[in-house]
C-alpha cells in the first residue's frame, strides 16, 4: 500500500506529540482506574478474619488440601492474648475468635455481624463434624463436599473495572482520533492535498485504522500493567489474550463512529462535542464504570445495542471471568457488524472539502 | 506540440453565483502562465477545476491530453499543486513534512531533503510547521509541491500575505523553477507579480477572462498615454499645455503631470526650461489595462 507506512508514521507522530490527546487517551482514563481501583479496593467480598487462641487441633491438624479450602473463606491467624483477641471481636476488627478447650471448640463472635459470624460458625461446625466422623472411623464419608469459588457475578472491583475503564478508554481514543483527524485534515486541506497525490484512499484510511489499533494496544498494555501491580491486584484469567481481538474489533467500531462524527461535523470543536455526546453516556449505560446488574431492565436492554457494552463484556469474559476464547466470537461479530453499518453511513456523509 | 493545458468553456456555479463563466485558455509546455484578477474573480475555482479538485458544471479540461476529473492516477505524479491555504500535517517538522509528501510519490528521502536547501529552509529543518513564518510556510509548501519533480506546477496566490522582501525572494525561486523547464501556472491578485513573472497573463474578472497575452503586449496594445511628472508649480499651467500637441496637463499641488502619447518633445521642452526637478516618467501598466477593460480602478 503506497503511502501507508509514511502516513501512519505521520499520524502516530502527530498523536504522540499532541499532549492534550495523550492526556485524554491515556492519562485521564488511567486516573479513573487508579482512583476507583484505590477507592474500592477493600469494598469487595473480602475474606473473614478469625483469631485462633492457643492450639485448636480441629484446624491445626487439617490435611493440607482441606486447609486450603478453609483459607479461601477464612483468614486464620494465631492470637497472642485471649482478652485482647476478644476485645477485637467486640470492636468488629475480626469476625470471631476460636479456641479449643479439651473436647470443646468455642467460637466467640459478635452478634452485630450476622453474615460473617454465620460464615465462621458454619465452617467450624463442618470441621468439627468431619473430625467426629474421622474419630468414629468413617474414613470415606457417604457424602463429600468441595467448595469451588465462582467468579462470574461477584467480581472484585479491580477485576470489573480494568476491562470496563479500558473499554471506555479505547472507545474514546478511537472515536476522537478518527473524528478529529477527519475534520482537521479536511479543514487544513490535507485531504484535498492527499487527493492530488497518487496515494489511494485505502492507504489513508488504513493508516488511521492501523494507528488507532496501535494506540488501543498501548492503552491496554499500560492499563493492564498498572492494574496488575500488587497494590491493585488484578488477576488475568487464562485466555486473556482473546481480549486482543475484542479490542481490535472495538477499535474498528469506534473508529467508524468517529468517522461518522467527523463526516457530520465542520469544526474540530463540534467533532469533539459530538464524539463526547456519544461516548460518555454510552460509558455509563454500558456498565463500563459499574455493573448494571441492579439497573432497571430498560437500561440493560439499551445497553445491549451499544457497542461499548459488547467491547467491555467481551473483554471481561476472557480477561477476568475465566471463559474460553470462543466466548468473544459473538461480541467480535457484533462489533464488526456495527463497524460496517456505521462506516457505510459515514461514507454517505463523507466530504473531501468543507466548502 | 501537445499543449500542457487545454481548457475549453469552463463553467461553475455556486448556487446563484456564477463563479466561472466560460473560461478557455491553453498553456504550452515550459510556459509561465498567470491568471490575474481581483479577489472573487474566480481564479481559485478555475485552477481547482483544472487541477481536478472540482468537477466543472460544463466545459473541458485536458492536461497532457488527459482529463483530470475524476481523480486521474496517471496524471497525479506529473502535476504539483500548492493550494491557496497551505496544507500541512500537524506537529511535523519542515523536514518530516517534506519527506512525507515525497514518500507519497515514492521519492527517496535524500532527494526530498535537497529541496530544503533549494527553498532556503535548511536552518528550519527541525522546526515544526506551526512555528514557521508566513514566508517560510509558503516556501515549504512550494517545496512539498515540487518534491516529486512534476512537469506542471500550479501555484494559487503563492505570495499573498508576504512582506515585500519575502515576495521578491519567492519570485526568484519561481523563476528558477520555470527556467528548469517546468510549466508553471500561477494565480495572483498582484499586478506587478504577473507583470514581472509571467510569459503570458489572462486577466480575469467576474468569472471571465477579459484579455490574454504577454504583459508587455497587453500594455502596448492599450495605446494609453505616458505620464510625465515634475514638481508642482515649475511651470504655469497655461505654458505647460503648449509643450506638445496632444498633452493634457494637471497640477494637483504636489506634482505637475503631463499625459501624452508623444513624450519626447515634452521631455525636451522641459529640459530646455530646466524644469526637470522631481521628474518621473511612467508608462501604462496592467493596472491601466484593467481600468480600460472594466472601466473601474483595479482593487485587489
Ligand atoms: N465553495 C464555494 N461556495 C460558494 N461560493 C464560492 C465558493 N468558492 C468560491 N465561491 C465564490 O465564487 C467566486 C469566485 O471565487 P474564487 O474562485 O475563490 O475567486 P478568487 O480565487 O479569484 O478570489 C466568489 O464570488 C466566491 O465568493
Ligand atoms: Mg483565490
Amino acid at each position: 500500500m503506497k503511502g501507508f507506512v509514511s502516513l501512519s508514521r505521520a499520524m502516530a507522530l502527530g498523536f504522540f506529540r499532541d499532549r492534550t490527546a495523550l492526556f485524554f487517551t491515556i492519562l485521564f482514563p488511567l486516573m479513573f482506574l487508579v482512583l476507583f481501583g484505590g477507592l474500592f479496593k477493600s469494598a469487595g467480598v473480602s475474606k473473614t478474619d478469625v483469631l485462633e487462641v492457643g492450639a485448636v487441633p480441629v484446624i491445626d491438624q487439617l490435611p493440607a488440601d482441606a486447609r486450603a479450602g478453609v483459607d479461601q473463606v477464612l483468614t486464620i491467624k494465631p492470637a497472642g492474648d485471649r482478652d485482647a483477641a476478644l476485645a477485637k471481636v467486640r470492636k468488629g476488627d475480626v469476625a470471631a475468635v476460636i479456641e479449643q478447650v479439651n473436647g470443646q471448640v468455642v467460637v466467640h463472635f459478635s452478634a452485630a455481624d450476622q453474615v460473617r459470624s454465620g460464615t465462621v460458625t458454619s465452617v467450624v461446625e463442618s470441621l468439627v463434624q468431619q473430625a467426629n466422623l474421622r474419630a468414629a472411623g468413617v474414613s470415606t464419608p457417604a457424602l463429600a463436599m468441595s467448595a469451588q469459588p465462582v467468579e462470574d457475578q461477584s467480581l472484585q472491583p479491580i477485576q470489573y473495572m480494568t476491562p470496563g475503564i479500558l473499554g471506555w478508554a479505547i472507545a474514546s481514543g478511537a472515536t476522537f482520533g478518527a473524528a478529529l483527524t477527519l475534520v482537521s485534515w479536511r479543514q487544513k486541506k490535507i485531504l484535498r492535498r492527499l487527493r492530488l497525490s497518487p496515494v489511494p484512499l485505502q492507504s489513508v484510511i488504513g493508516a488511521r485504522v492501523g494507528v488507532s489499533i496501535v494506540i488501543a494496544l498501548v492503552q491496554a498494555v499500560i492499563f493492564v500493567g498498572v492494574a496488575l501491580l500488587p497494590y491493585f491486584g488484578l488477576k488475568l484469567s487464562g485466555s486473556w489474550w482473546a481480549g486482543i481481538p475484542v479490542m481490535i474489533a472495538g477499535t474498528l467500531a469506534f473508529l467508524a463512529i468517529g468517522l461518522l462524527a467527523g463526516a457530520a461535523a465542520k469544526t474540530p470543536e463540534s467533532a469533539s462535542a459530538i464524539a463526547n455526546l456519544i461516548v460518555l453516556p454510552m460509558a455509563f449505560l454500558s456498565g463500563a464504570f459499574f455493573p448494571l446488574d441492579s439497573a432497571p431492565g430498560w437500561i440493560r436492554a439499551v445497553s445491549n445495542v451499544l457497542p461499548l457494552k459488547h467491547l467491555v463484556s467481551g473483554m471481561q469474559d476472557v480477561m477476568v471471568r475465566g471463559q474460553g476464547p470462543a466466548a468473544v466470537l459473538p461480541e467480535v461479530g457484533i462489533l464488526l457488524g456495527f463497524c460496517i453499518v456505521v462506516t457505510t453511513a459515514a461514507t454517505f456523509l463523507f466530504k473531501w472539502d468543507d466548502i | 506540440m501537445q499543449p500542457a493545458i487545454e481548457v475549453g468553456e469552463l463553467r461553475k456555479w455556486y448556487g446563484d453565483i456564477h463563479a466561472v463563466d466560460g473560461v478557455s485558455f491553453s498553456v504550452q509546455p515550459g510556459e509561465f502562465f498567470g491568471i490575474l484578477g481581483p479577489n472573487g474573480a474566480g481564479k481559485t475555482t478555475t485552477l481547482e477545476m483544472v487541477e481536478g479538485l472540482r468537477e466543472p458544471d460544463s466545459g473541458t479540461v485536458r492536461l497532457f491530453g488527459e482529463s483530470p476529473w475524476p481523480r486521474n492516477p496517471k496524471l497525479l505524479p506529473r502535476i504539483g499543486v500548492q493550494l491557496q491555504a497551505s496544507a500541512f500535517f500537524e506537529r511535523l517538522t519542515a523536514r518530516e513534512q517534506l519527506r512525507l509528501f515525497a514518500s507519497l510519490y515514492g521519492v527517496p528521502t535524500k532527494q526530498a531533503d535537497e529541496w530544503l536547501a533549494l527553498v532556503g529552509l535548511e536552518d528550519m529543518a527541525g522546526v515544526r510547521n506551526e512555528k514557521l513564518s508566513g514566508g517560510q510556510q509558503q516556501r515549504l509548501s512550494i517545496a512539498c509541491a515540487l518534491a516529486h519533480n512534476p512537469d506542471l506546477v500550479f501555484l494559487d496566490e503563492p505570495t499573498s500575505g508576504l512582506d515585500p522582501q519575502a515576495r521578491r525572494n519567492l519570485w526568484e525561486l519561481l523563476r528558477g523553477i520555470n527556467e528548469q523547464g517546468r510549466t508553471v501556472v500561477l494565480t495572483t491578485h498582484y499586478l506587478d507579480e504577473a507583470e514581472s513573472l509571467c510569459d503570458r497573463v489572462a486577466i480575469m474578472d467576474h468569472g471571465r477572462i477579459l484579455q490574454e497575452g504577454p504583459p508587455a503586449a497587453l500594455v502596448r496594445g492599450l495605446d494609453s498615454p505616458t505620464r510625465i511628472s515634475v514638481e508642482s508649480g515649475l511651470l504655469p499651467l497655461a505654458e505647460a499645455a503648449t509643450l506638445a500637441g496632444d498633452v493634457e496637463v494637471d497640477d494637483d499641488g504636489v506634482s505637475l503631470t503631463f499625459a501624452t502619447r508623444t513624450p519626447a518633445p515634452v521631455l525636451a521642452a522641459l529640459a530646455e526650461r530646466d524644469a526637470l526637478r522631481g521628474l518621473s516618467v511612467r508608462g501604462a501598466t496592467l493596472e491601466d489595462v484593467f481600468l480600460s477593460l472594466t472601466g473601474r480602478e483595479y482593487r485587489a
Side-chain angles (χ1 to χ4, degrees):
Chain A
M1 282 229 271
K2 201 172 183 180
F4 171 75
V5 175
S6 40
L7 284 174
S8 304
R9 209 182 95 85
M11 251 183 259
L13 278 178
F15 171 76
F16 286 107
R17 284 176 187 172
D18 183 354
R19 296 222 178 86
T20 319
L22 273 183
F23 175 79
F24 279 107
T25 355
I26 294 181
L27 217 53
F28 186 57
L30 200 58
M31 278 162 46
F32 267 67
L33 183 75
V34 169
L35 193 69
F36 287 146
L39 220 54
F40 297 121
K41 214 157 81 77
S42 53
V45 191
S46 56
K47 285 190 238 171
T48 306
D49 290 320
V50 174
L51 291 175
E52 185 184 327
V53 175
V56 183
V58 174
I59 295 170
D60 299 342
Q61 289 163 16
L62 275 177
D65 57 336
R67 177 63 196 249
V70 172
D71 283 345
Q72 283 190 343
V73 197
L74 305 182
T75 308
I76 304 174
K77 287 193 193 121
D81 177 51
R82 185 170 182 271
D83 291 337
L86 288 174
K88 280 190 179 167
V89 177
R90 253 175 246 119
K91 277 197 285 178
D93 291 346
V94 296
V97 165
I98 305 175
E99 60 182 338
Q100 188 165 358
V101 185
N102 301 324
Q104 189 79 11
V105 178
V106 186
V107 178
H108 304 272
F109 61 86
S110 153
D113 190 342
Q114 299 191 351
V115 177
R116 290 203 298 173
S117 50
T119 310
V120 179
T121 45
S122 58
V123 169
V124 174
E125 208 174 304
S126 78
L127 293 178
V128 170
Q129 271 177 21
Q130 280 174 33
N132 283 339
L133 285 172
R134 266 198 305 276
V138 185
S139 53
T140 39
L143 280 174
M145 194 202 95
S146 69
Q148 200 86 77
V150 177
E151 262 193 291
D152 56 353
Q153 298 302 312
S154 53
L155 286 178
Q156 290 282 323
I158 190 70
Q159 304 286 89
Y160 187 87
M161 270 178 336
T162 308
I165 298 181
L166 176 58
W168 167 62
I170 289 177
S172 38
T175 311
F176 281 87
L180 292 180
T181 307
L182 184 56
V183 175
S184 79
W185 281 24
R186 188 169 54 223
Q187 215 179 28
K188 297 203 153 139
K189 314 289 176 199
I190 293 175
L191 281 183
R192 350 177 52 197
R193 184 62 188 76
L194 289 176
R195 189 186 185 183
L196 284 169
S197 78
V199 169
L201 184 60
Q202 299 92 287
S203 295
V204 183
I205 295 170
R208 182 63 250 182
V209 171
V211 169
S212 282
I213 289 177
V214 169
I215 292 174
L217 296 180
V218 168
Q219 288 174 314
V221 168
I222 294 179
F223 266 67
V224 174
V226 167
L228 280 174
L229 294 175
Y231 178 77
F232 297 107
L234 173 72
K235 289 192 184 56
L236 288 178
S237 48
S239 313
W240 60 267
W241 51 265
I244 295 173
V246 185
M247 292 172 204
I248 294 176
T251 306
L252 292 175
F254 282 95
L255 275 173
I257 293 181
L259 278 184
L260 188 65
K266 282 206 160 53
T267 63
E269 290 74 22
S270 59
S272 54
I274 295 177
N276 251 325
L277 274 178
I278 297 172
V279 178
L280 205 57
M282 200 188 294
F284 286 100
L285 288 176
S286 302
F289 298 144
F290 42 78
L292 292 180
D293 302 329
S294 50
W298 67 268
I299 288 191
R300 275 178 287 154
V302 168
S303 84
N304 274 324
V305 302
L306 302 176
L308 187 51
K309 162 82 196 306
H310 299 280
L311 171 59
V312 168
S313 70
M315 287 196 293
Q316 280 172 348
D317 283 348
V318 290
M319 291 169 72
V320 295
R321 285 193 205 274
Q323 299 201 29
V328 303
L329 291 179
E331 311 291 20
V332 168
I334 291 172
L335 288 169
L336 292 181
F338 197 88
C339 170
I340 291 170
V341 172
V342 178
T343 307
T344 311
T347 49
F348 283 106
L349 287 175
F350 179 83
K351 293 172 298 246
W352 285 96
D353 275 314
D354 51 5
I355 34 171
Chain B
M1 197 164 28
Q2 185 188 47
I5 302 177
E6 220 171 355
V7 171
E9 284 297 305
L10 273 191
R11 282 172 209 282
K12 182 80 187 176
W13 277 267
Y14 292 119
D16 293 340
I17 302 173
H18 206 167
V20 175
D21 183 8
V23 162
S24 308
F25 61 87
S26 72
V27 179
Q28 295 304 314
E31 231 183 337
F32 202 131
F33 184 75
I35 301 177
L36 168 70
N39 278 327
K43 305 182 295 293
T44 299
T45 309
T46 304
L47 208 61
E48 286 178 350
M49 288 190 288
V50 176
E51 293 159 352
L53 275 177
R54 263 181 217 287
E55 185 176 16
D57 288 338
S58 71
T60 55
V61 179
R62 291 280 175 278
L63 304 183
F64 306 109
E66 302 237 5
S67 170
W69 183 274
R71 203 171 181 232
N72 185 340
K74 232 163 66 187
L75 278 177
L76 296 175
R78 298 190 67 184
I79 64 176
V81 174
Q82 191 224 5
L83 299 170
Q84 184 162 13
S86 327
F88 290 125
F89 290 86
E90 291 160 299
R91 290 176 288 278
L92 295 193
T93 65
R95 189 194 287 118
E96 287 166 345
Q97 215 62 257
L98 193 50
R99 286 183 178 176
L100 172 59
F101 277 110
S103 76
L104 300 182
Y105 293 84
V107 172
T109 307
K110 202 162 148 273
Q111 201 176 321
D113 287 351
E114 283 166 13
W115 274 100
L116 275 180
L118 288 175
V119 298
L121 285 178
E122 294 147 297
D123 299 342
M124 296 289 155
V127 176
R128 298 211 193 152
N129 63 278
E130 291 90 347
K131 299 220 164 74
L132 296 176
S133 73
Q136 288 164 342
Q137 290 202 4
Q138 293 284 21
R139 277 183 281 154
L140 178 59
S141 163
I142 290 171
C144 290
L146 293 171
H148 61 287
N149 245 326
D151 303 324
L152 176 56
V153 183
F154 295 96
L155 306 159
D156 197 358
E157 309 225 5
T159 66
S160 71
L162 300 191
D163 62 66
Q165 186 55 47
R167 278 181 71 206
R168 304 283 152 162
N169 293 345
L170 203 55
W171 286 3
E172 277 316 303
L173 179 68
L174 298 182
R175 276 197 199 100
I177 288 164
N178 179 238
E179 276 157 18
Q180 289 161 1
R182 281 181 254 259
T183 313
V184 180
V185 178
L186 161 126
T187 72
T188 181
H189 63 254
Y190 295 116
L191 296 152
D192 55 343
E193 187 162 294
E195 217 162 342
S196 145
L197 286 175
C198 299
D199 298 327
R200 225 146 41 81
V201 252
I203 298 179
M204 200 168 175
D205 193 32
H206 296 306
R208 290 171 206 265
I209 290 182
L210 303 177
Q211 200 165 16
E212 191 201 306
L218 294 183
V219 171
R220 242 180 278 124
L222 260 191
D223 187 32
S224 68
T226 304
R227 289 170 197 281
I228 301 168
S229 305
V230 293
E231 216 169 75
S232 167
L234 277 182
L235 289 178
L237 270 185
E239 186 185 346
T242 63
L243 291 188
D246 68 337
V247 77
E248 275 178 45
V249 192
D250 179 48
D251 193 331
D252 59 6
V254 180
S255 328
L256 172 65
T257 303
F258 304 82
T260 174
R261 285 181 176 73
T262 51
V266 177
L267 284 169
L270 284 172
E272 236 166 64
R273 289 167 176 74
D274 197 17
L276 289 176
R277 220 169 335 132
L279 173 74
S280 82
V281 180
R282 201 169 64 85
T285 63
L286 283 179
E287 202 162 345
D288 302 297
V289 178
F290 188 84
L291 179 68
S292 85
L293 288 171
T294 63
R296 56 192 167 88
E297 294 266 349
Y298 185 86
R299 258 195 209 95

